[in-house]
Amino acid sequence: MANEPLSTPNTPSTSNDTINTPTPNTAASVLPAQRKRRALLYAIGGGALAAALIIGSFAAGSTYRAGHPQQTAANAKAASDTSNVNASDSCDVTLNVVASVNQWGSLAQELGGNCVEVTSLINSTSADPHDYEATPQDLAKLSKAQIVVLNGAGYDGWAEKANLDASKQRIVNVGDIMGITATEEHSHEHDENAEGTEGESGHHHHHHGSTNPHLWFSPDAVLKASQAITKAYTDAAPDGGATEATVQRHSNAWNGDYAQFVALVNKGRTQNVERHYAATESVANYLLDYIGAVDKTPATYTNAMNSEAEPSASDLKNAIDIVEGNDVDILVVNPQEMGEFAKELDSAARESNKTIISVTEQLPENKKTLLDWLTSITNQALAIDTTNGYFLTQDVKDRTLADYEGEWQSVYPYLQDGTLDSVMEAKAKKGDKTAEEYKQYYDTGYKTDVTKISIKGDQMTFTRDGKTATATYKYDGFKILDYEKGNRGVRYLFTATGDVPEGAPKVVQFSDHGIAPEKAAHFHIFMGNDTQEATLKEMDNWPTYYPASMSKDEVATEMLAH
């Protein structure tokens, strides 16, 4: 990976390890006519865009109205969770927006807040865009929308065939913006074999020819699409009105979040992180190229998968050998298209202990925004934030009880007596819960009647109500757990041997955010009297322990530091 860090759009970097912090935009002080002109410049001009960037959290989109297929419960919850964020949005008009796919629909919603009503015609990972057939209702929604957002580049040709009228509608076609159009070879046709069934294991081929239409994975395309959508909104809204001001505020905030995304990529560059990857499909290549990752997938395999041909036996073997070799860190898979060839590469990656990143085409139900999704994938690929669960599978190493040796105290009493109230308040300022809600959450997480744990050699002593129980434990390896957010955790497993006295758990699992031998500064512990597999299912209760030598105020201070 190159060492040069990326700049925020059209903003030069001043060093090898930082990006410039642009001047916040003071929209409230700009007269309505000036604001309209600035919005136009902002949407199409690099210098104005850089001036508008601010570092900070964005206000997520409001109620996300689904089209066809039906909105999932997860998306409904995400919409509900974010609607309060936009409660202060003021709108003199509400704009009707239709997007072909939810990748762009989520961006359109975020940029417009409560002042837009967005329908995404494909709004679930259960829908296959390559198979999609627009209904008359879909086409009618497109033709009636004030603003239409299309991917273009041949990906959603069915939407481009709608009765759109550029003289009456504002149409944002990302492919056209990027100068990428469908090649003659582009198709999403089914390959039927002699028996009349679809090609390999019922999966069709994604024949993109020389075109990669997955533009939502291109940070450059996402940035330009945000500019074009903002311009469409400000052009459609009354000059100097409430909707225009709300759109501008959301747009400015979004650009602040984009700057943070760029800073994440810069961090990888300044640390000289270089990732080599192979992919079952070239779905996320734009993003991986952007962060400097090197594609090691054999060209013959990629060409076969991107066309109507199937990889030959030798092409597949070559791809498997590369995945299993030392020159590949990551395998990228598309769970929506796991044919037999993709499954073989996936199996090879697992057997060779390689990191696997799962990337769907549609925005996953558990991701609220497009940029949140790209940030998650980037974190997984860079794998430089072990504390927050972003690491390479192959970097996880065995550990012993020596890493946890010492005298430890539970933090649960400090949550109950109010010592940790300042910690909950600090979390509330950064998170999505109130301090009281965080306290309730951690009451479930920290809850335990084991007030002290002493670890020495291969023995652990547990103290409950002043009574102790000691057992000997053997190491049973580690387990990597994948979370919906995209990050992961590692639990180190230990099982009691011999006679286990009452009060000592049969199995314990440690999690301290570490993935290799090192002395733990604190740890979360999962305890059970069943099997390791059963205890691994516990996700809500993780009693937490700090050194017994620390005072309760020191524990609170240490937590605040993290």
Side-chain angles (χ1 to χ4, degrees), residues 7-323:
S7 298
T8 49
N10 296 305
T11 306
S13 288
T14 56
S15 73
N16 193 46
D17 59 356
T18 60
I19 61 172
N20 287 350
T21 303
T23 304
N25 179 26
T26 54
S29 65
V30 182
L31 294 175
Q34 293 174 315
R35 189 163 58 230
K36 191 75 168 183
R37 289 194 297 272
R38 175 181 51 71
L40 177 59
L41 290 173
Y42 168 84
I44 61 177
L49 172 64
L53 285 173
I54 56 173
I55 299 297
S57 300
F58 61 82
S62 62
T63 302
Y64 193 77
R65 297 165 174 83
H68 174 75
Q70 292 297 316
Q71 183 180 21
T72 65
N75 272 338
K77 183 180 186 302
S80 175
D81 290 344
T82 58
S83 60
N84 289 335
V85 177
N86 292 333
S88 62
D89 283 358
S90 179
C91 315
D92 47 8
V93 296
T94 300
L95 304 174
N96 176 26
V97 184
V98 175
S100 58
V101 292
N102 71 350
Q103 299 94 304
W104 297 119
S106 67
L107 178 62
Q109 184 70 65
E110 187 179 2
L111 291 168
N114 286 342
C115 296
V116 296
E117 181 175 318
V118 179
T119 297
S120 290
L121 298 178
I122 297 181
N123 193 34
S124 170
T125 54
S126 63
D128 191 330
H130 304 281
D131 270 345
Y132 193 73
E133 295 182 5
T135 66
Q137 292 82 0
D138 291 338
L139 299 179
K141 289 175 183 177
L142 285 165
S143 63
K144 294 177 181 178
Q146 291 173 276
I147 297 164
V148 175
V149 183
L150 306 176
N151 183 80
Y155 186 79
D156 46 6
W158 53 269
E160 295 182 79
K161 295 176 182 178
N163 187 25
L164 303 178
D165 187 345
S167 66
K168 298 180 180 179
Q169 298 172 288
R170 290 172 173 82
I171 302 170
V172 176
N173 186 310
V174 184
D176 289 349
I177 292 171
M178 298 301 293
I180 299 176
T181 57
T183 60
E184 291 182 1
E185 303 90 8
H186 185 283
S187 69
H188 288 146
E189 298 175 356
H190 291 279
D191 180 19
E192 298 190 357
N193 59 26
E195 286 73 30
T197 59
E198 292 175 15
E200 174 220 339
S201 297
H203 288 266
H204 64 274
H205 300 291
H206 298 182
H207 186 201
H208 297 137
S210 59
T211 297
N212 181 349
H214 306 103
L215 294 173
W216 57 92
F217 286 121
S218 165
D220 291 332
V222 171
L223 175 63
K224 291 181 180 179
S226 75
Q227 297 168 5
I229 293 170
T230 296
K231 182 180 185 300
Y233 288 170
T234 55
D235 284 350
D239 274 7
T243 293
E244 183 189 64
T246 293
V247 166
Q248 193 62 62
R249 176 169 55 83
H250 282 301
S251 185
N252 289 347
W254 184 91
N255 277 282
D257 207 60
Y258 187 92
Q260 291 185 350
F261 168 75
V262 172
L264 170 63
V265 178
N266 282 347
K267 183 178 180 181
R269 292 182 174 230
T270 56
Q271 293 185 16
N272 295 315
V273 176
E274 183 172 301
R275 295 285 176 247
H276 294 175
Y277 74 94
T280 59
E281 294 183 48
S282 55
V283 175
N285 283 28
Y286 282 128
L287 177 59
L288 295 167
D289 290 346
Y290 183 87
I291 68 174
V294 180
D295 187 2
K296 291 292 184 177
T297 315
T300 51
Y301 176 91
T302 299
N303 291 339
M305 294 305 294
N306 284 345
S307 69
E308 293 180 355
E310 294 181 348
S312 67
S314 60
D315 290 340
L316 179 60
K317 183 181 184 304
N318 188 26
I320 290 174
D321 288 343
I322 288 176
V323 168

